[in-house]
Amino acid sequence: SAVISQKPSRDICQRGTSLTIQCQVDSQVTMMFWYRQQPGQSLTLIATANQGSEATYESGFVIDKFPISRPNLTFSTLTVSNMSPEDSSIYLCSVQGGQGQETQYFGPGTRLLVL
Amino acid sequence: QKEVEQNSGPLSVPEGAIASLNCTYSDRGSQSFFWYRQYSGKSPELIMFIYSNGDKEDGRFTAQLNKASQYVSLLIRDSQPSDSATYLCAVLESGYSTLTFGKGTMLLVSP
């Protein structure tokens, strides 16, 4: 399976600021996804990061709040904009591919605390 | 609305026992099913995937799928304390590339 890294691994941010999270994969992948996992909760898909076009957002998530870039097949960024304490969460990047083409593998996550 | 249901637990089993984790899903069009393990503070780790009805075994893990009943399960034989984690069931609907996750079942294996 692909090796996925995320930066930063954790951060503490002030209300009203923005944070950009980077996801790097060691091989080219077609599908990349961004998830959020709030404390004690399961995974919620934010968006699918499409290479060369705008991301596809799930219901409840908008581009102004979570802009995503996907400049190539190995890299993506997620920005959490104008943060509030409710944005405190773990943000996870995942990629599709490997043993079965539909399997998804997750990066180590970014732990965000907004004060 | 696609739904994936799991008991939140915790499911407590003694070391050496069989742990049985269950998952039901609402969309009959679902074709692919995944089990992830998530240790506290870590990201989800893929354990198994299953596409066809029946059983699929990998070491101490067996995934079971019954599409008619819309039911998928994960059996862990000879449970170890290191198996203590939250187990997430995920479902992929045919024609889609996005997974729907259940809320997860916490498993506690006591020595």
Side-chain angles (χ1 to χ4, degrees):
Chain A
S1 61
V3 176
I4 308 166
S5 59
Q6 283 186 238
K7 289 181 182 180
S9 58
R10 59 180 66 238
D11 208 341
I12 301 173
C13 300
Q14 296 298 318
R15 182 195 301 258
T17 62
S18 298
L19 176 71
T20 295
I21 302 167
Q22 298 180 4
C23 177
Q24 179 75 54
V25 190
D26 69 343
S27 59
Q28 293 186 340
V29 293
T30 304
M31 306 295 292
M32 292 182 76
F33 307 91
W34 287 99
Y35 288 83
R36 180 173 75 182
Q37 187 172 33
Q38 294 180 305
Q41 301 297 312
S42 189
L43 299 163
T44 301
L45 180 64
I46 297 172
T48 302
N50 302 309
Q51 196 269 329
S53 64
E54 206 167 270
T56 304
Y57 289 85
E58 297 299 305
S59 175
F61 297 96
V62 295
I63 188 171
D64 289 347
K65 176 67 176 178
F66 297 101
I68 288 171
S69 77
R70 178 90 192 270
N72 56 53
L73 293 176
T74 64
F75 186 79
S76 178
T77 67
L78 168 75
T79 299
V80 186
S81 303
N82 188 25
M83 288 184 285
S84 67
E86 292 71 34
D87 293 319
S88 298
S89 187
I90 299 172
Y91 292 86
L92 293 151
C93 167
S94 80
V95 303
Q96 190 174 70
Q99 301 177 53
Q101 283 301 306
E102 297 166 325
T103 52
Q104 283 191 25
Y105 300 90
F106 287 86
T110 295
R111 286 151 185 77
L112 172 62
L113 177 62
V114 184
L115 302 177
Chain B
Q1 178 83 15
K2 293 176 282 186
E3 291 185 357
V4 178
E5 301 285 343
Q6 295 180 257
N7 287 326
S8 61
L11 172 65
S12 296
V13 300
E15 184 174 357
I18 296 175
S20 177
L21 303 159
N22 304 315
C23 172
T24 59
Y25 58 95
S26 62
D27 191 345
R28 279 197 175 275
S30 300
Q31 294 292 321
S32 307
F33 307 86
F34 305 86
W35 283 100
Y36 288 84
R37 177 175 62 198
Q38 187 173 25
Y39 292 113
S40 180
K42 301 294 185 182
S43 63
E45 171 192 8
L46 180 70
I47 298 175
M48 293 192 71
F49 58 89
I50 185 168
Y51 301 148
S52 304
N53 274 329
D55 295 0
K56 179 181 179 182
E57 187 174 316
D58 184 0
R60 295 188 295 114
F61 299 98
T62 299
Q64 299 176 317
L65 175 60
N66 184 327
K67 290 185 179 180
S69 300
Q70 295 175 239
Y71 177 94
V72 58
S73 64
L74 179 70
L75 301 178
I76 306 175
R77 290 182 300 281
D78 188 22
S79 295
Q80 301 296 310
S82 58
D83 294 325
S84 298
T86 296
Y87 289 80
L88 300 167
C89 173
V91 174
L92 182 67
E93 187 185 4
S94 178
Y96 290 84
S97 57
T98 57
L99 294 175
T100 301
F101 281 85
K103 293 185 185 300
T105 299
M106 181 183 294
L107 173 66
L108 298 175
V109 181
S110 54

